[in-house]
Amino acid sequence: MTRDVHMPRLDGATQWLNSEPLDPADLRGNVVLVNFWTLTCINWLRTQPHVRAWAQAYRAAGLVVVAVHTPEFSFEHDAGLVRQAAADRGIDYPIAVDNDYAVWDAFANSYWPALYFIDRNGVIRDEHFGEGSYEESEQTLQSLLGVSAAPAPVKALGIEADADRRNLKTPETYLGYARGGQSASPGDVAFDRRQTYELPKHRPGNSWALSGDWTVGSECVMPYGPDSVLAFRFHARDVNLVLNRTGAEPIPFQVLLDGEPPAGSHGVDVDEDGNGLLAGGRLYQLIRQDGKISERTVEIIFPEPGAEAYAFTFG
């Protein structure tokens, strides 16, 4: 979408949270920031502290933030998960649940996260895709609002903290066969059926492998336990994994770093001994290294079935 066109309609949303349904006419007279997101996206999670700060700082000046949740994975269609993510991330402004991609298509959008800056007359004046350029984005908002102020204070902790980009050498990696590369486990991969795998003797950098019984599906890989292991050779400060569960009960898992409990390098979703609990579909931070960053191996052990692993991201 080019700049200086009118804001598309929002009536393709399947549900609204924190608000009655809105359309451009309802928003006329306000500056509007439309933020496309999906709850498992690490890039959105690292952007969210800034959007949250702007929503709070400029609300009285006439800013309305509209968060459009367009799901990437199938399980993200669950409005209950969207509500939980909104509560966890301080989203108290309107959320358009865009399960049919109608709002996404109306904006001709292609990215998570994406920001569209709309003036008081309903005209899109600017846009930004992905992380970064926060100072420029806030200046755009101030210009549209007609205010001049110091930057809004931003609090980004835990999984919301910015990546260590100097040491980030491993890319986002999808595990399902529709978008992911083949695992480094020896032998052929069986699609959509249970098969036993082994870890390779040599683990190439930026590669993943399976051990034990798994099903490799189009979106995710699914363990059967009790010795199902998902391993990744990585070079980054942080290791995150998109997980979901098929049943109602939480599923325990254990994380090892180079074969040992992570101790001080554990992420926010595991303890020093590497124990974690899969309690719902979202992005889990497994590792945040506290020392020198080098190439290492993370292993996630699932002692029982019911988990789904979708994608690794790093920071």
Side-chain angles (χ1 to χ4, degrees):
M1 174 175 293
T2 59
R3 301 178 188 180
D4 298 332
V5 298
H6 278 85
M7 175 183 177
R9 295 184 60 82
L10 303 173
D11 53 4
T14 55
Q15 187 176 351
W16 284 82
L17 307 177
N18 299 336
S19 172
E20 295 297 319
L22 299 172
D23 62 29
D26 298 320
L27 295 164
R28 195 67 55 84
N30 296 286
V31 171
V32 180
L33 179 64
V34 175
N35 178 23
F36 283 89
W37 64 296
T38 189
L39 65 94
T40 60
C41 177
I42 186 60
N43 308 104
W44 166 72
L45 283 162
R46 293 193 290 241
T47 300
Q48 176 56 21
H50 300 269
V51 176
R52 182 172 59 233
W54 301 335
Q56 295 169 355
Y58 301 113
R59 185 172 295 165
L63 175 65
V64 176
V65 178
V66 177
V68 181
H69 184 271
T70 310
E72 179 175 14
F73 299 114
S74 297
F75 74 86
E76 293 179 287
H77 287 74
D78 185 343
L81 293 178
V82 179
R83 287 192 188 92
Q84 184 61 55
D88 292 343
R89 302 300 158 200
I91 303 176
D92 60 356
Y93 39 85
I95 300 172
V97 179
D98 187 32
N99 280 351
D100 293 338
Y101 276 65
V103 182
W104 177 281
D105 290 341
F107 276 78
N109 186 54
S110 299
Y111 306 98
W112 298 280
L115 297 175
Y116 293 88
F117 302 81
I118 300 158
D119 69 16
R120 296 183 190 272
N121 295 315
V123 175
I124 298 176
R125 300 290 297 278
D126 205 352
E127 57 196 22
H128 179 74
F129 306 121
E131 300 179 60
S133 298
Y134 302 120
E135 182 178 348
E136 294 85 347
S137 292
E138 187 166 7
Q139 288 174 352
T140 298
L141 289 175
Q142 290 188 2
S143 176
L144 293 176
L145 290 164
V147 301
S148 179
V154 175
K155 187 176 183 180
L157 302 174
I159 204 166
E160 293 183 341
D162 194 23
D164 178 3
R165 302 194 184 279
R166 294 177 303 171
N167 290 298
L168 179 53
K169 299 180 181 180
T170 300
E172 181 175 13
T173 302
Y174 292 88
L175 302 177
Y177 63 76
R179 299 175 67 182
Q182 184 169 320
S183 80
S185 293
D188 295 331
V189 174
F191 294 162
D192 298 319
R193 64 180 176 87
R194 182 171 177 169
Q195 179 166 297
T196 302
Y197 297 89
E198 295 180 357
L199 295 177
K201 292 181 180 179
H202 171 68
R203 302 181 187 180
N206 297 345
S207 70
W208 59 279
L210 302 172
S211 178
D213 285 4
W214 292 79
T215 290
V216 177
S218 62
E219 277 197 310
C220 62
V221 295
M222 294 157 280
Y224 290 91
D227 300 311
S228 299
V229 179
L230 170 59
F232 203 113
R233 187 73 174 166
F234 72 98
H235 192 297
R237 183 194 64 195
D238 302 344
V239 179
N240 312 302
L241 181 60
V242 178
L243 292 169
N244 188 35
R245 60 181 180 180
T246 59
E249 296 300 318
I251 299 171
F253 61 88
Q254 185 178 25
V255 175
L256 301 178
L257 186 60
D258 293 335
E260 301 290 338
S265 291
H266 69 95
V268 296
D269 290 305
V270 300
D271 62 20
E272 292 187 351
D273 295 323
N275 298 308
L277 192 66
L278 169 50
R282 61 180 177 85
L283 186 70
Y284 287 74
Q285 186 188 80
L286 309 180
I287 298 293
R288 170 158 286 173
Q289 295 191 67
D290 63 348
K292 182 179 179 180
I293 309 303
S294 61
E295 187 173 271
R296 307 184 73 177
T297 297
V298 63
E299 295 180 341
I300 306 94
I301 303 166
F302 296 94
E304 59 187 71
E308 299 174 331
Y310 286 77
F312 281 98
T313 60
F314 302 90

